[in-house]
Amino acid sequence: RLLLNVMRNNRASDRALAAAEGAPEHVVDFVSKMSRAANLASQQSGVPARLIMGQAALESGWGQREIKHADGSTSYNLFGIKAGASWKGKVLAARDHERQPG
């Protein structure tokens, strides 16, 4: 079963890369880097991979505005998710352009 899922992920990733063909290099790089993860997340969540990939692309500017730590390492937050006061896990302080009342 695992092999079947891997094969499905590879075919879906290949289709995503083919769809990105002819796109700007940063778009092709993003799709190449993220398509397998989007397909796996899709299998686990039921959310279509193209929607996961589209939202990640929108929020991160096709990976060009990925939120990074001060040392340049990734935060793995391609969706711009913000932690509220009740969050007890790791956080990263970063500026954003959203405005909130007050």
Side-chain angles (χ1 to χ4, degrees), residues 16-31 62:
L17 288 171
E21 194 172 308
E25 186 175 341
H26 69 279
V27 172
V28 174
D29 289 345
F30 182 83
V31 171
W62 295 98

Side-chain angles (χ1 to χ4, degrees), residues 7-8 19 30 33 46 52 55 61 69 71-72 77 80 82 96-97 99:
M7 290 171 62
R8 283 184 186 140
F30 182 83
K33 182 178 175 183
I52 294 169
Q55 189 66 33
H69 293 280
D71 66 2
N77 183 356
K82 295 167 182 64
D96 67 19
H97 299 286
R99 301 203 186 258

Side-chain angles (χ1 to χ4, degrees), residues 1 3-4 6 8 11-12 14 16-18 24 36 41 43 45 48 52 58-60 64 85 88 96 102:
R1 181 177 170 156
L3 181 57
L4 184 58
V6 168
R8 283 184 186 140
R11 282 191 299 242
D14 290 344
L17 288 171
R36 285 197 172 107
Q43 287 178 353
S45 68
I52 294 169
L58 174 69
E59 294 288 348
S60 71
Q64 294 184 322
K88 302 299 180 211
D96 67 19

